Amino acid sequence: MSREETILKLKTIVKPYIQNEEAFESLTESTDFINDLKINSANLVDVILDIEEEYDIVIDNQSMERMLDVKSAMEIIETKLSEK
């Protein structure tokens, strides 16, 4: 799966939770879920659960704590997929 495909999937997953449409439209690897997209911490858990379901992976607590921006999320997804 290419990085572009992963970003597109992530955009679909986070869209219901965002509070900042402008930041969402210009989403890049450096976009921060909390500071840029204004996703609150409770909804960030929902995002992680949706990512787990979409990719059929399990994200451990240590990885969850690191998943604060698009780049980290992509790295964690790629790592978990490679472990399957």
Side-chain angles (χ1 to χ4, degrees), residues 54-81:
E54 176 69 32
Y55 289 96
D56 191 28
I57 56 176
V58 175
I59 298 171
D60 56 81
N61 288 340
Q62 185 178 0
S63 296
M64 281 186 198
E65 291 170 9
R66 287 185 28 239
M67 199 178 284
L68 299 174
D69 57 39
V70 173
K71 185 173 185 185
S72 299
M74 291 172 64
E75 289 170 356
I76 291 164
I77 290 166
E78 288 169 10
T79 301
K80 296 297 178 185
L81 288 174

Side-chain angles (χ1 to χ4, degrees), residues 7-61:
I7 287 177
L8 286 174
K9 263 192 179 182
L10 280 173
K11 281 185 86 165
T12 304
I13 291 168
V14 301
K15 185 159 181 45
Y17 307 105
I18 63 158
Q19 301 297 317
N20 183 338
E21 189 71 38
E22 189 176 315
F24 177 75
E25 293 302 325
S26 60
L27 185 134
T28 66
E29 287 188 27
S30 61
T31 300
D32 185 283
F33 292 132
I34 295 171
N35 296 322
D36 296 330
L37 299 178
K38 308 296 184 213
I39 298 174
N40 67 38
S41 56
N43 283 344
L44 194 52
V45 172
D46 292 330
V47 168
I48 292 169
L49 293 172
D50 291 350
I51 289 171
E52 287 182 322
E53 187 174 320
E54 176 69 32
Y55 289 96
D56 191 28
I57 56 176
V58 175
I59 298 171
D60 56 81
N61 288 340

